[in-house]
Amino acid sequence: MELYANVLGEGKPFIILHGFLGMGDNWKTLGQQFSEIGYEVHLVDQRNHGRSFHDDNFSYEDMVNDLKHYLETNDLDDIVLLGHSMGGKTAMLFATQYPEMVNKLLVADISPRYYPIHHDTILNGLSSFDFAELKSRGAADKQLAQYVSDFGTRQFLLKNLYWKEKGQLALRMNLDVLKEHVAEVGESLPMHAKFEGNTLFLRGDKSEYIGHQDETIIKNHFPNSKIVTIANAGHWLHAENPEDFYDAVVSFLN
């Protein structure tokens, strides 16, 4: 089963993995910018997300296998690999298992440690959609607002809505499977997993995903890593401060 990806530009392969409930399309603007400086950017939809296939199995091991299959099928090697949140966990695990395929690793606002489940409210909100009744994005936003107060978060989630057919809205993600396996998203990197290559962790200064206690954990798994803090940004740091995010990534790549 093939992953869906939007490929921009040409040059050195640069793979971007989105976070939980996201899709490659969330990275289109930055992806375009990276493609303009000599990279072939692959905005990948991970399984059960975006336009990629739906499957009953959902774990980091599965997502790593999907990525390996995608790279081999497309004859990609010596890649730059960037992952945000859940995508960052996939990227970390991939790099520790297939270090020879990764030239540089970038991880956006996630640590290798375990995170407790914290997506319940969002999943309940998405589950509350009655597509027999919902006939517009505005109505969906109003419904979701009962669960998710933050406008930016709702806009991010509502990107998953599409017109399945005339007058019929649907969600691209495989919501049932993601709800069933939501605990998987918080899983930690295996204890002895290690990647010796060049690694950059980016964290938002308003986010609590990478705290001081994570710095030691990160060094244990990624001895050749550094952490850069992006100002005026929370967990969606690439969307909240794309200029500084872009500059930090490019300076690391150069």
Side-chain angles (χ1 to χ4, degrees):
M1 287 188 278
E2 291 300 320
L3 292 175
Y4 173 86
N6 185 6
V7 183
L8 310 168
E10 49 190 50
K12 189 170 171 51
F14 189 154
I15 316 296
I16 300 182
L17 302 175
H18 61 80
F20 187 56
L21 307 177
M23 59 180 84
D25 199 51
N26 303 141
W27 286 84
K28 210 167 181 180
T29 308
L30 275 164
Q32 192 62 52
Q33 289 177 288
F34 296 135
S35 78
E36 285 159 12
I37 56 166
Y39 290 96
E40 181 182 274
V41 180
H42 295 249
L43 303 176
V44 174
D45 288 350
Q46 299 189 84
R47 64 168 56 205
N48 294 317
H49 288 77
R51 291 177 169 83
S52 278
F53 62 88
H54 288 188
D55 193 272
D56 289 344
N57 296 319
F58 186 72
S59 69
Y60 285 116
E61 219 35 87
D62 292 321
M63 289 187 275
V64 162
N65 291 336
D66 293 342
L67 179 58
K68 182 154 190 286
H69 179 68
Y70 177 82
L71 296 177
E72 288 172 344
T73 306
N74 292 284
D75 206 18
L76 301 171
D77 200 13
D78 200 31
I79 63 168
V80 171
L81 179 58
L82 186 165
H84 170 241
S85 202
M86 176 190 86
K89 284 268 181 90
T90 306
M92 284 188 260
L93 185 60
F94 184 88
T96 64
Q97 291 186 359
Y98 303 104
E100 70 288 350
M101 297 181 85
V102 179
N103 180 290
K104 288 189 170 168
L105 173 67
L106 301 97
V107 179
D109 215 56
I110 198 82
S111 157
R113 69 175 159 90
Y114 166 79
Y115 290 80
I117 294 174
H118 54 284
H119 297 96
D120 291 10
T121 315
I122 285 175
L123 291 169
N124 290 338
L126 293 169
S127 302
S128 75
F129 288 163
D130 176 357
F131 288 114
E133 300 290 327
L134 277 185
K135 292 303 173 199
S136 73
R137 287 176 176 276
D141 183 50
K142 204 169 167 185
Q143 173 63 24
L144 194 55
Q146 296 176 37
Y147 297 82
V148 181
S149 60
D150 181 64
F151 176 75
T153 305
R154 292 203 307 278
Q155 292 313 105
F156 162 77
L157 293 165
L158 292 170
K159 275 187 105 101
N160 285 286
L161 279 181
Y162 75 112
W163 295 102
K164 194 173 174 180
E165 52 196 63
K166 195 171 159 53
Q168 181 63 57
L169 280 168
L171 287 170
R172 288 203 186 276
M173 64 177 83
N174 187 352
L175 188 57
D176 291 343
V177 166
L178 296 178
K179 277 172 68 177
E180 187 186 339
H181 294 287
V182 64
E184 292 286 339
V185 180
E187 281 302 313
S188 62
L189 204 59
M191 202 192 306
H192 302 296
K194 199 171 247 197
F195 175 67
E196 307 275 356
N198 281 338
T199 305
L200 176 68
F201 281 78
L202 302 117
R203 63 177 166 200
D205 67 343
K206 296 182 191 157
S207 170
E208 292 170 4
Y209 276 72
I210 298 180
H212 291 303
Q213 79 281 11
D214 292 298
E215 291 169 15
T216 315
I217 301 169
I218 286 169
K219 273 286 181 227
N220 287 342
H221 291 284
F222 302 95
N224 196 4
S225 66
K226 60 175 185 169
I227 302 171
V228 168
T229 303
I230 305 296
N232 306 314
H235 186 53
W236 280 283
L237 60 179
H238 56 290
E240 293 168 53
N241 188 347
E243 294 83 5
D244 287 3
F245 187 90
Y246 174 85
D247 290 345
V249 168
V250 171
S251 101
F252 170 72
L253 294 179
N254 293 340

